[in-house]
Amino acid sequence: MKNAKISNCKDAVMNTFNEANEFIKLVESKPYEKNDMISQLPLVINCIFACELYLKVLLLHNGYTSNELKKIGHNLSSLFLKWPSDKKNEINVWMKCFYQQDIFLLLDKIKNDFIDLRYMYMDHKVKKFDLYIIVQFTYKMQFEVSKELTGFDIKKNECHNQISEEIIKKFYAYSLFGKVSNCIESSVKRAYRDFNRTIRGFKANVEHNRIYDNAIQIMIDEINNLIISNMNSQREFDEWHKNLCDALIQSFEDQKLYYGQTQKWINMSLKYLAILDYTKVAKNYIFFHIPIDNYILEHEEELNRFKCTWSRIDDYDLYLEFQKEFRKKYNGAPLENEFLIWLYCVNMKK
């Protein structure tokens, strides 16, 4: 009878996990970068429900009963709070590092969205949501739960398989970028999400989609040009960077864009591309600029001569001076130093 209970538990866990995977298949087949709430709504509802199922899978795996989980219902925040502390902290650091969000605040904000969004039309209220963040969190949940299930009952020698480093690397890439068909395009679109919230009024711009598509293409074309170029000096890269910043600002037409925003887009795109396919950027990697954001400005306070937030930097010469001073201060590739500083700052704010 005991073995039958274990088998039933494993069946419930795997069935719930597989059900969650089915709910996120819709996301993989639909574009969600553009500002189209009608098409985004079913995607976000599916993602939120998949998140709920992934959260419940781990709890079932750790001994919770179905009846205990039914009492919690659809509340994402309450489910997440019951996860092991080390898992919660790890995911919160990941969320802060890559998306500059606190996972506890995010889940508290969307905890009842599975119900609220389905009946939004009855309240005649439009609820704002960030589909991209929700999608990436869903993939993260899938990854974390799949790691747990790979070692299911491993102490009883029921599973001897281990996840290889290559699979982990690919899964992290999938968790961060989603399905990647073109690593440059995926890097550019992911990096856009790191600063687009700072473009005031752009979502309401009637030309939003056209301007967005044009800017994305400019970024892709210029990064391709960088990859095939024979660039061999810091000065050449700095000139390329300045020209691309100016091209992006011009492409946004009447929509105000600052050097602080364009540097974040360009620098994060190159950083993500280095993660996805380092071979494409290896010869120019040492020239890359660091993304300037709140963490960097707080940590490098003595280098900070800006009298504004990072997103409102509007003096390229001052921006470039910061990059030069950072290079003088630290040995090695600037991006590697920036990554270490970033992780330090994120962990200090836990």
Side-chain angles (χ1 to χ4, degrees), residues 80-93:
F80 186 71
L81 288 175
K82 292 187 177 297
W83 270 35
S85 295
D86 59 336
K87 280 286 184 187
K88 289 185 293 189
N89 292 333
E90 177 188 340
I91 291 171
N92 196 33
V93 169

Side-chain angles (χ1 to χ4, degrees), residues 13-245:
V13 168
M14 293 308 302
N15 288 341
T16 307
F17 179 69
N18 291 333
E19 184 180 354
N21 291 340
E22 290 298 316
F23 273 94
I24 63 170
K25 281 185 178 180
L26 176 63
V27 178
E28 298 174 9
S29 64
K30 299 285 185 181
Y32 52 84
E33 291 90 357
K34 294 183 180 180
N35 186 35
D36 181 358
M37 186 174 181
I38 293 177
S39 63
Q40 286 187 354
L41 191 56
L43 301 184
V44 75
I45 291 174
N46 272 31
C47 273
I48 288 173
F49 188 55
C51 280
E52 176 189 332
L53 293 177
Y54 288 132
L55 289 167
K56 288 180 175 178
V57 166
L58 188 60
L59 293 177
L60 284 170
H61 181 48
N62 287 337
Y64 281 80
T65 67
S66 297
N67 287 334
E68 287 174 324
L69 297 183
K70 284 179 181 178
K71 293 178 181 178
I72 302 174
H74 300 293
N75 191 307
L76 298 183
S77 181
S78 297
L79 289 167
F80 186 71
L81 288 175
K82 292 187 177 297
W83 270 35
S85 295
D86 59 336
K87 280 286 184 187
K88 289 185 293 189
N89 292 333
E90 177 188 340
I91 291 171
N92 196 33
V93 169
W94 171 84
M95 182 64 76
K96 286 182 177 180
C97 179
F98 290 108
Y99 303 101
Q100 298 158 41
Q101 298 242 7
D102 183 288
I103 189 59
F104 298 100
L105 295 179
L106 173 66
L107 290 180
D108 188 63
K109 182 179 178 182
I110 67 171
K111 61 185 178 183
N112 295 316
D113 276 8
F114 180 68
I115 296 174
D116 294 345
L117 291 176
R118 288 185 298 153
Y119 297 103
M120 188 167 61
Y121 66 93
M122 295 182 67
D123 297 329
H124 303 290
K125 294 180 180 179
V126 177
K127 181 166 185 177
K128 294 182 179 180
F129 52 80
D130 190 330
L131 176 59
Y132 188 83
I133 295 295
I134 295 172
V135 168
Q136 299 312 313
F137 176 64
T138 306
Y139 287 139
K140 179 65 172 176
M141 291 295 94
Q142 184 189 51
F143 178 51
E144 292 300 328
V145 172
S146 68
K147 284 198 302 183
E148 289 289 322
L149 298 188
T150 299
F152 198 93
D153 283 342
I154 196 165
K155 292 181 181 179
K156 299 179 181 180
N157 296 319
E158 294 184 10
C159 176
H160 299 281
N161 296 326
Q162 294 185 6
I163 304 177
S164 70
E165 289 296 322
E166 182 63 22
I167 291 176
I168 290 176
K169 181 179 178 181
K170 288 180 179 179
F171 216 122
Y172 266 121
Y174 187 69
S175 176
L176 184 58
F177 301 98
K179 187 175 182 179
V180 177
S181 57
N182 182 304
C183 58
I184 297 176
E185 181 178 356
S186 293
S187 299
V188 167
K189 289 183 175 180
R190 171 64 187 86
Y192 176 78
R193 293 283 175 170
D194 289 335
F195 84 98
N196 72 320
R197 69 189 185 282
T198 68
I199 313 176
R200 293 173 183 167
F202 187 42
K203 282 190 174 182
N205 192 316
V206 294
E207 297 294 331
H208 175 281
N209 289 351
R210 180 183 62 80
I211 293 174
Y212 169 83
D213 288 339
N214 183 43
I216 290 289
Q217 195 58 53
I218 290 173
M219 284 283 287
I220 292 172
D221 290 344
E222 285 303 314
I223 292 176
N224 271 314
N225 290 338
L226 174 68
I227 291 171
I228 64 176
S229 71
N230 293 318
M231 189 177 296
N232 55 22
S233 73
Q234 186 66 56
R235 180 184 59 79
E236 289 178 289
F237 179 83
D238 292 347
E239 288 179 359
W240 173 87
H241 190 280
K242 171 64 162 59
N243 290 336
L244 181 50
C245 283

